[in-house]
Amino acid sequence: QAILAQAILTQAIFNARERERAQGSTQELCSFPQAAAVAMYCLGHPSKTRFDGACTQNVSGPSLASMSRVIGPLAFYRQWAASGSDFLTMYHCALLPLYYIFGLLYVVLKALILNPPCLQCFLSPLRVEVDVDIPGSSPRERMAFAKPWYSTAPRQPQYQNIWLRATHLPERSLWMELQAIAYPWLVLPPQSASGVFDHDRQEWHIVSSWWTPFMVAGWVVVGERPDQNGWMIAGEFQCWFFLKWLYKWLIVRILETYADQMATSISTYDDTLAE
């Protein structure tokens, strides 16, 4: 895909220069930031996702109250080991061994390569915001939809085609998530991180450390935008600066696709009701 994107970008710039020459214009064609944006578009079509300086809402992260409720490693792994019963209410039993095996592989990969605890000071932050359409015309209506949506309750028929599934297990302080990079060819087994619901801010706060069986390290806030104008997923991840492009690509592939599928499902359902 990267090679294809580079080829498309090169051809587009060449064609544009030919048109400029034909018109006798010497205006600059494409700056490096513009070229990078085009390449990123070819890789994942980001339209609802913003990174770093492009973020507009500047979410501050999990509250102190939420961080005080985040469980430590020993308590976390006790709850994680016992979460198999919750897992089986949503997924096939054949996936349960992969849930634990891949979770431990994530921990090893982060501890040794991606987020080594002794080298945290050398990692770079990556901020992200993703706008997601969910049913509801007001914050109260959107929250009424979100609470069962992020639970173990079965999904309604109109949302069965959405690949990503995120589930909050409040009694375990866990956030369990199934992600698909390219469904159905590349689907990651469900993974877990610490997760609590902040009643004061009406948000879910998810925290993943280097020892957490989740593929990235950082925090995520899921809830209403600070301007009360829609639903948003915001977060900050720690990564090596030379891997930022990969993290961005994965985020676009997973979360942008999720946002697009939500919008399509809502639109299709509304059209069905209108008929």
Side-chain angles (χ1 to χ4, degrees):
Q1 286 184 328
I3 295 173
L4 178 60
Q6 183 63 36
I8 294 173
L9 177 60
T10 302
Q11 185 63 41
I13 293 175
F14 175 79
N15 292 341
R17 280 180 175 163
E18 289 298 315
R19 289 194 298 270
E20 290 293 330
R21 287 194 188 98
Q23 296 171 1
S25 173
T26 58
Q27 184 178 1
E28 182 184 0
L29 227 127
C30 184
S31 65
F32 178 78
Q34 291 172 326
V38 172
M40 192 65 186
Y41 179 85
C42 294
L43 288 172
H45 303 282
S47 61
K48 301 178 177 67
T49 306
R50 300 175 295 276
F51 293 103
D52 292 330
C55 293
T56 60
Q57 299 300 306
N58 298 316
V59 176
S60 59
S63 63
L64 292 177
S66 294
M67 292 302 295
S68 67
R69 294 161 54 203
V70 172
I71 55 180
L74 293 180
F76 175 89
Y77 277 101
R78 282 198 300 269
Q79 295 297 337
W80 182 60
S83 65
S85 58
D86 304 288
F87 182 97
L88 293 175
T89 64
M90 298 176 288
Y91 307 110
H92 195 278
C93 61
L95 293 176
L96 186 58
L98 297 178
Y99 170 59
Y100 292 113
I101 292 171
F102 271 76
L104 295 176
L105 289 176
Y106 289 140
V107 174
V108 173
L109 182 63
K110 289 196 296 183
L112 297 181
I113 301 175
L114 298 179
N115 302 98
C118 57
L119 299 176
Q120 293 292 309
C121 59
F122 297 105
L123 300 179
S124 300
L126 174 62
R127 293 295 298 264
V128 60
E129 294 176 353
V130 183
D131 295 322
V132 181
D133 293 329
I134 67 172
S137 57
S138 68
R140 183 183 297 273
E141 291 179 358
R142 286 188 284 269
M143 181 56 66
F145 171 85
K147 286 187 175 180
W149 179 254
Y150 295 122
S151 72
T152 57
R155 284 185 170 176
Q156 299 174 7
Q158 64 267 31
Y159 302 115
Q160 292 294 332
N161 65 329
I162 296 176
W163 308 337
L164 185 146
R165 174 157 191 165
T167 305
H168 181 222
L169 305 175
E171 71 283 356
R172 302 191 187 282
S173 297
L174 292 184
W175 180 270
M176 188 182 295
E177 190 165 301
L178 173 71
Q179 300 173 346
I181 298 175
Y183 186 86
W185 301 282
L186 185 54
V187 180
L188 301 177
Q191 48 196 303
S192 290
S194 297
V196 298
F197 183 73
D198 189 303
H199 293 277
D200 293 333
R201 291 169 49 174
Q202 291 291 289
E203 296 171 340
W204 284 268
H205 294 169
I206 301 98
V207 179
S208 176
S209 303
W210 65 267
W211 47 264
T212 306
F214 201 85
M215 68 174 182
V216 295
W219 56 262
V220 173
V221 172
V222 179
E224 193 72 17
R225 289 163 54 108
D227 59 10
Q228 302 292 296
N229 195 31
W231 201 255
M232 187 176 71
I233 300 171
E236 180 176 293
F237 305 112
Q238 299 296 320
C239 62
W240 296 106
F241 74 93
F242 52 83
L243 289 180
K244 271 194 172 185
W245 67 271
L246 178 60
Y247 278 68
K248 289 181 178 180
W249 183 79
L250 288 172
I251 290 168
V252 169
R253 289 298 308 162
I254 295 171
L255 294 182
E256 185 90 11
T257 301
Y258 168 63
D260 289 341
Q261 289 177 336
M262 281 293 293
T264 300
S265 296
I266 294 171
S267 176
T268 302
Y269 184 63
D270 290 344
D271 292 343
T272 303
L273 291 179
E275 293 174 358

